[in-house]
Amino acid sequence: MLVLIRRISTKKEKADDGRKLKESLQSLGGAFIKLGQFMSLRKDFFSTNVRKELELLQDNGKEEDMEIMLTVLENEWGQPVHEVLKDIDSTPIGTASIGQVYRGVLHSNEIVAIKIKKPKIDREIVRDIKRLKVMTAWVERLTKPSSSFSFTKILEDFSESLLKELDFRQEAYYADMFAAQNQSTTIQVPRVYHNFSTTHVLVMEYMRGEKIVDFPHLSSDIKQQLAIEFAKDLFHQIFINGFFHGDPHPGNILVHKGNLVYLDFGNMGHLYAPTRLWMNKILFSLMNEDFERLSDVVSEEILLEPAEKRRLTLDLAIFSEKYVKSQVQKINLGSVFLDLMTLLKQYSIYVPPEMIQIGNVLAKAEGTIALLHPKLTLKDMIQSLGKQMAKEKYGFTSLSKKQSVNQDEMYQMLTELPVHLHRIVKNLSMGSTPVTVRVQAEKSLLKKIDRMMNLFTFGLILLSFSIISTGIILSLKLTDSNLLSGDHAVLLGLSSSLIVTFVFIGMMISYVGKNR
């Protein structure tokens, strides 16, 4: 089978090689079907005809007998199925390599989708991955793989994503998290019924809608709008939320009343804040075609020679011309970040490993976008994202969050200030200062430092006086002392603050005047 894959990947396939490969993977089942689904997204490795055959594996796994699946349900729930469900369809609405999905009705008359893991599939998946690793190593020893193709690399990416999908409780958690982050968007996420969900069973709200691939009757304008919304939402998930759907192929996206309905949350991705900030800078620079700025962003942690920096800037401009302005149908969207990684590594620039996952996600999304709006460009997507990023960064909500953080930091500083002042005053009384400055023995410079230290010390004394007086006023007020009424407290507080402020301003004016 791997020899067949190797021949196909080098574009020497026969007309029926795609069909043979699909049938081979189907007969092996388990992880091999998932591998075929994964390979159907790799435009950079396989021809269109082969990928179309492999796309048939998305929803056509081997169907298990319903009695076996009902036994799984009873074992997981610890009670007969009819005690939980009012009704369940005899035919699954979806069959994949890991599980089957049935439409059911709870006794509350709520319609649900019940995803049941196939018996022994965990053991089969782990066994199949081990076999694939052995087979891959054997084939690549016999055939010298080109630099443009590495089946080992494909297998690593595939294995990592597949193993995440085996725990349905994890998927339920991801679905809840994804729904919480997309409440104000056009995205719809099915509700999870946690009281009926286990490691092997996932019960979710039944979502109505049509698959994107089933939209031949829609006008081109509506299709294009759906594509733009899908791309905008996906980029928002990745580059603003930092938590995104890891498997957005056409089979996992429904459209219902103009909204995008996401299914299958077994494979989700994370882009943490430092990497997200770095990549947002990259996208802003690409959007504005500011390649010098882009060169500064990607190389900010290393020192490049001027000639190297100029070459990097030129390479980034060529990269942008190749990908950013091209239509989705003419490029491999998934290779954008992978090729950028390759380019940066040529200059010994560190690349976050999350870029690999983003490349894979975009490869899966590419099929959905190309079906609806093949002329959409990456630049269109980035520009739409840029407006969202600016709003996120400079909008009222963001500024409010930053202000809250600043207030917390100010509060912490004020609570710690008396301790630091006590240490400073103690050091001063002992004839030592907490600030040590090492300079050359130049008299004029030493005089300036001496005046500055005197000013600093006097300023600290003023500040101490202000804090102590404020503390006395507050203590008198809070203890309801007869010595100070409310009006007098306000007046005294304002007066002491004004006196300290005027004295400090006078000191600063005097200091600046002497140093002119």
Side-chain angles (χ1 to χ4, degrees), residues 3 108 111 115 152 188 227 250 292 343 391 437 468 477 503:
V3 175
S108 60
I111 303 175
K115 183 176 179 181
T152 300
Q188 290 184 354
E292 289 187 3
L343 171 61
K391 183 179 179 181
V437 182
I468 293 168
K477 181 60 182 169
V503 171

Side-chain angles (χ1 to χ4, degrees), residues 11-214:
K11 310 303 182 187
K12 297 178 181 178
E13 72 273 12
K14 299 177 183 178
D16 60 346
D17 274 350
R19 178 181 55 79
K20 289 180 179 178
L21 179 58
K22 180 196 71 177
E23 291 173 353
S24 297
L25 293 169
Q26 276 181 323
S27 64
L28 291 167
F32 292 91
I33 293 176
K34 297 293 291 185
L35 179 62
Q37 296 172 7
F38 184 82
M39 291 190 299
S40 71
L41 305 166
R42 302 307 297 259
K43 184 190 293 186
D44 48 343
F45 291 149
F46 304 104
S47 69
T48 301
N49 291 335
V50 171
R51 285 187 293 106
K52 282 185 177 179
E53 287 289 338
L54 296 179
E55 283 171 2
L56 298 176
L57 295 170
Q58 296 287 1
D59 298 305
N60 296 314
K62 182 181 178 182
E63 185 176 325
E64 288 281 357
D65 185 77
M66 187 179 182
E67 291 301 319
I68 295 175
M69 304 308 282
L70 290 178
T71 301
V72 174
L73 273 184
E74 291 186 347
N75 291 337
E76 291 297 306
W77 287 343
Q79 57 186 316
V81 172
H82 66 81
E83 292 186 9
V84 178
L85 298 175
K86 185 178 181 179
D87 187 29
I88 183 171
D89 292 349
S90 58
T91 304
I93 56 177
T95 300
S97 57
I98 292 178
Q100 289 176 192
V101 182
Y102 293 86
R103 181 183 178 275
V105 182
L106 299 175
H107 286 288
S108 60
N109 291 324
E110 294 171 281
I111 303 175
V112 293
I114 308 160
K115 183 176 179 181
I116 309 171
K117 190 189 294 184
K118 294 179 178 178
K120 303 178 182 178
I121 191 65
D122 297 64
R123 192 187 313 162
E124 290 179 16
I125 293 291
V126 173
R127 179 201 63 199
D128 291 345
I129 288 175
K130 289 180 180 178
R131 289 177 176 176
L132 280 168
K133 287 180 178 179
V134 173
M135 294 165 65
T136 301
W138 178 73
V139 168
E140 292 201 341
R141 278 199 302 268
L142 294 178
T143 61
K144 296 179 180 180
S146 65
S147 58
S148 62
F149 179 86
S150 172
F151 191 73
T152 300
K153 184 66 183 69
I154 293 180
L155 184 59
E156 288 175 359
D157 296 339
F158 157 75
S159 301
E160 184 179 352
S161 64
L162 178 56
L163 292 173
K164 291 179 181 178
E165 299 181 37
L166 294 176
D167 186 353
F168 286 1
R169 284 194 181 276
Q170 182 72 38
E171 182 174 349
Y173 169 76
Y174 282 155
D176 286 342
M177 188 174 172
F178 190 70
Q181 291 197 353
N182 292 281
Q183 289 180 344
S184 60
T185 67
T186 57
I187 291 175
Q188 290 184 354
V189 181
R191 180 166 67 94
V192 178
Y193 291 79
H194 290 279
N195 50 331
F196 300 126
S197 298
T198 69
T199 302
H200 300 280
V201 175
L202 180 60
V203 181
M204 306 181 79
E205 176 186 4
Y206 179 79
M207 304 299 288
R208 302 184 185 277
E210 297 180 78
K211 290 185 178 179
I212 283 183
V213 292
D214 298 330

